[in-house]
Amino acid sequence: MTVTVHTAAALALGDDALVLSHRLGEWSGHAPVLEEEVALANIALDLLGQARILLSMAGDEDELAYLREERAFRNLQLVEQPNGDFAHTIARQLYFSTYQRLLYAHLAAGEGEFAGLAAKAVKEVAYHQDHAEQWTLRLGDGTEVSHERMQRGCDALWRFTGEMFEPVEGVDVDWAELKEAWRESVGGLLRRATLEVPEGPQSGAWTAGAGRQGLHTEPFGRMLAEMQHLHRSHPGASW
Amino acid sequence: MTARQVGSSAEDGAPPGRRAHGDLQELFDETIARDQRIEPRDWMPDGYRKTLIRQVAQHAHSEIIGMQPEGEWITRAPSLRRKAILFAKVQDEAGHGLYLYSAAETLGADRADLTQRLIEGRQKYSSIFNYPTPTFADVGVIGWLVDGAAICNQVPLCRSSYGPYARAMVRICKEESFHQRQGYELLMTMMRGTGAQREMVQDAVNRWWWPSLMMFGPPDEDSPNSARSMAWKIKRHSNDELRQRFVDMTVPQAEKLGVTLPDPELRWNEERGRYDFGTPDWAELKRVISGDGPCNAERVARRRAAHEEGVWVREAAAAHAAKRAARQRKGVAA
């Protein structure tokens, strides 16, 4: 595969959506209420749809999803983080969907090659963000137990948020401005949810942006093993 | 006058007990006889209400437990297209469960209570979901055979005498037949694939065929509730009749697919114009229904765990809603 600026950008955005979709799929049958079975599957399905379009811009979607090894994936470390409890999952959703909505709204307004995809996806992502915000409010400003769990989820994932604003080659956006808008949106929402805005470094597991270079956290390899095993066990088969 | 009008006139302030029980029963019987629908506010015999609550709740539970065997494969689906189809299907099933719990609630049942009954093993769900899905071909076979059997069962329920149930079934059947086609299409793709894929399909068909036939319930002579449910037009056909329809519909599909069905007695009967087939292992069905199937323990344990692990989330949602309402009241007062 020749990695051009175009494919690198499509892979970065596509891998984010693919990996987060997969993590949400792990909730199937485990959600705290039936309505959330529907909602989480719905969000996962939207993300998978985005991933398929983006990966197809970079090559063959199945080859890219199933035959790359860990070091070749370009997703953020944030989206590969294990689900944890429901609050942890919601914190991950809040951080990512806010980022994705701001980014896609910007791309949709431009004339770049991702404008068409972003215009369609931003409507879905607005729903994802609303879902994450509503749950952050419910859990943060719910019971003592839920407040504490929500705070813990926000704190634990905070360090993975810096990498979202490391420039991706081929994605035309003012990253510093994006980060500012993100902090404002997430900060405001956390305060409304009676939560503290975390203060620690946003440096990621290696360095911020390492995921974009194929350096991932340990749980990711296991996730790929599960995701890819059947496809890899039957080389050349169609499904 | 229909039973519905009786219900509303009572609400309009007619003194209670003005209509004798016998009149109500007569109106109910007439409504059923005319193939009209019973609606939530109508008078209905206690037995009718109880039977319906049991059937609709077990139907809802089946949708929810039924998410598990296929949900197993979401994270392992071998192509992104199949993964998207699985996500959509499992999501639909959760939606079907929600419609059906709503239908049960129109009868005075309470969803939380029904859930409790499910996780305590006091209410049942379809026997079929106690079988495991060890290969990806199982996903296709569940679509083809299990959803196929469900459709045979459910299409007549679209004319069930209880309105909310019948209307839920109309929506559900549309989605189910879509799932069934997708399952069959997966199997077609696999049968045109490698030798290993074809073997995987045949193996899955061998494992699911008999359990699918058992989805129609015990044979008619051993199905005590059937006669009453049919008299009330909750159910429109007997177990054996539906089972026969399923076999007649499925055998040509198996031929087209290029798989064999694991029944040496299966053959066309010219005289009847239907297929003859062997006898399912009714002892196995009894075991599975009474909780001793291959996955009963795991299925219920998973549901119970999701429910228990979700307690704090549901409590948070309730607490937040209460706080919001209190703030709103204060705002209005101020």
Side-chain angles (χ1 to χ4, degrees):
Chain A
M1 185 179 74
T2 354
V3 180
T4 61
V5 168
H6 161 87
T7 53
L11 284 182
L13 302 183
D15 286 350
D16 284 349
L18 177 72
V19 170
L20 185 56
S21 165
H22 186 96
R23 283 296 188 208
L24 292 174
E26 294 170 354
W27 270 104
S28 175
H30 293 281
V33 279
L34 290 180
E35 285 79 355
E36 284 306 298
E37 293 284 353
V38 179
L40 295 174
N42 196 353
I43 294 168
L45 190 55
D46 287 344
L47 289 168
L48 184 55
Q50 295 165 16
R52 293 182 66 191
I53 296 170
L54 286 158
L55 294 184
S56 298
M57 289 169 82
D60 177 88
E61 59 175 38
D62 285 339
E63 259 180 61
L64 288 169
Y66 291 100
L67 299 175
R68 272 183 300 160
E69 295 190 1
E70 193 179 328
R71 291 283 282 112
F73 274 82
R74 294 290 177 257
N75 56 281
L76 300 165
Q77 292 176 347
L78 174 68
V79 295
E80 75 203 27
Q81 295 310 304
N83 289 333
D85 66 8
F86 188 67
H88 196 86
T89 289
I90 291 298
R92 192 182 59 198
Q93 286 301 113
L94 176 71
Y95 291 164
F96 183 74
S97 63
T98 304
Y99 156 79
Q100 207 190 11
R101 185 177 184 183
L102 290 166
L103 176 63
Y104 279 25
H106 180 86
L107 293 175
E111 284 171 0
E113 56 192 333
F114 298 111
L117 162 98
K120 180 179 172 281
V122 77
K123 292 178 199 138
E124 298 166 349
V125 176
Y127 161 77
H128 305 172
Q129 188 187 9
D130 183 54
H131 173 264
E133 290 190 345
Q134 293 304 321
W135 272 113
T136 303
L137 289 168
R138 284 188 201 110
L139 299 179
D141 189 20
T143 63
E144 251 174 70
V145 173
S146 70
H147 177 89
E148 197 197 314
R149 282 180 181 241
M150 193 64 221
Q151 186 69 58
R152 220 185 298 153
C154 291
D155 291 348
L157 291 166
W158 184 253
R159 68 182 176 125
F160 298 108
T161 54
E163 60 180 351
M164 296 191 286
F165 311 103
E166 291 295 318
V168 176
E169 206 186 351
V171 178
D172 181 25
V173 60
D174 182 335
W175 296 94
E177 206 175 280
L178 191 70
K179 185 171 188 174
E180 195 49 44
W182 183 88
R183 285 197 69 128
E184 202 172 301
S185 173
V186 166
L189 196 274
L190 291 182
R191 279 187 289 271
R192 273 179 63 207
T194 71
L195 295 161
E196 305 272 336
V197 180
E199 282 173 356
Q202 294 173 275
S203 58
W206 298 69
T207 57
R212 296 286 188 224
Q213 297 153 37
L215 287 169
H216 295 279
T217 56
E218 284 176 346
F220 185 54
R222 212 171 299 120
M223 193 207 97
L224 283 188
E226 182 174 347
M227 182 171 108
Q228 297 181 335
H229 100 269
L230 179 59
H231 185 97
R232 285 180 181 269
S233 302
H234 296 267
S238 302
W239 303 91
Chain B
M1 188 188 251
T2 66
R4 177 206 280 274
Q5 284 166 307
V6 171
S8 29
S9 75
E11 282 220 340
D12 292 343
R18 212 172 90 181
R19 283 195 171 268
H21 176 268
D23 286 352
L24 293 169
Q25 178 73 51
E26 204 174 298
L27 280 165
F28 173 84
D29 292 341
E30 273 171 29
T31 307
I32 297 286
R34 283 203 212 103
D35 264 338
Q36 286 172 337
R37 293 272 166 81
I38 304 296
E39 295 297 338
R41 288 179 170 190
D42 294 342
W43 182 89
M44 60 188 88
D46 279 347
Y48 179 86
R49 188 184 297 276
K50 276 190 193 139
T51 297
L52 263 171
I53 290 179
R54 182 178 51 84
Q55 183 174 337
V56 178
Q58 293 186 5
H59 197 156
H61 298 333
S62 301
E63 297 283 356
I64 299 308
I65 296 286
M67 293 166 65
Q68 289 183 38
E70 291 167 289
E72 276 299 302
W73 284 94
I74 286 178
T75 55
R76 293 176 289 166
S79 75
L80 296 187
R81 178 168 165 261
R82 292 298 169 195
K83 190 170 183 158
I85 289 172
L86 260 182
F87 262 129
K89 181 173 182 194
V90 173
Q91 186 191 5
D92 281 349
E93 281 160 3
H96 296 171
L98 287 169
Y99 302 156
L100 287 162
Y101 283 123
S102 298
E105 289 196 323
T106 66
L107 291 156
D110 169 63
R111 181 172 136 193
D113 172 60
L114 297 177
T115 303
Q116 205 60 38
R117 286 168 191 265
L118 169 65
I119 63 181
E120 286 170 10
R122 290 187 287 139
Q123 269 180 345
K124 299 188 193 312
Y125 52 87
S126 177
S127 57
I128 195 78
F129 300 119
N130 292 310
Y131 291 86
T133 48
T135 76
F136 192 67
D138 293 48
V139 168
V141 171
I142 289 177
W144 173 40
L145 295 181
V146 174
D147 293 342
I151 290 165
C152 281
N153 254 327
Q154 291 174 2
V155 166
L157 293 177
C158 296
R159 294 187 296 120
S160 173
S161 60
Y162 188 59
Y165 190 31
R167 288 188 289 274
M169 291 324 303
V170 172
R171 296 179 65 175
I172 291 173
C173 283
K174 278 185 200 155
E175 292 177 350
E176 291 289 5
S177 49
F178 187 65
H179 298 158
Q180 199 214 4
R181 282 201 298 278
Q182 283 176 326
Y184 193 69
E185 187 258 337
L186 165 60
L187 297 179
M188 270 293 183
T189 307
M190 289 181 72
M191 288 303 286
R192 283 194 293 258
T194 65
Q197 285 178 301
R198 279 191 291 280
E199 272 174 38
M200 210 189 274
V201 173
Q202 183 63 59
D203 169 61
V205 170
N206 293 347
R207 283 181 287 108
W208 288 92
W209 174 248
W210 291 108
S212 301
L213 291 188
M214 293 179 198
M215 283 175 69
F216 298 94
D220 290 348
E221 67 267 21
D222 196 17
S223 178
N225 295 328
S226 274
R228 211 168 55 153
S229 285
M230 283 174 68
W232 277 333
K233 295 186 184 168
I234 294 173
K235 230 177 121 154
R236 312 293 300 217
H237 309 282
S238 79
N239 295 353
D240 287 336
E241 167 57 23
L242 291 169
R243 193 167 7 250
Q244 177 75 57
R245 284 187 188 191
F246 173 68
V247 172
D248 292 343
M249 180 184 92
T250 308
V251 173
Q253 293 170 351
E255 282 165 4
K256 194 159 171 242
L257 200 54
V259 295
T260 56
L261 297 171
D263 179 359
E265 293 174 49
L266 183 69
R267 64 179 63 82
W268 179 249
N269 182 325
E270 195 67 56
E271 231 168 89
R272 292 201 305 132
R274 309 192 93 170
Y275 284 93
D276 290 339
F277 55 98
T279 310
D281 181 349
W282 299 124
E284 176 179 314
L285 178 63
K286 275 199 181 123
R287 276 199 308 278
V288 175
I289 287 180
S290 63
D292 192 23
C295 298
N296 298 56
E298 291 87 339
R299 299 288 187 245
V300 175
R302 162 85 86 92
R303 198 65 247 142
R304 178 192 283 273
H307 187 73
E308 288 173 358
E309 285 158 21
V311 168
W312 69 273
V313 177
R314 297 191 297 276
E315 285 174 355
H320 180 73
K323 283 184 195 180
R324 249 195 159 137
R327 278 198 292 265
Q328 232 158 33
R329 274 198 306 276
K330 235 170 138 183
V332 170

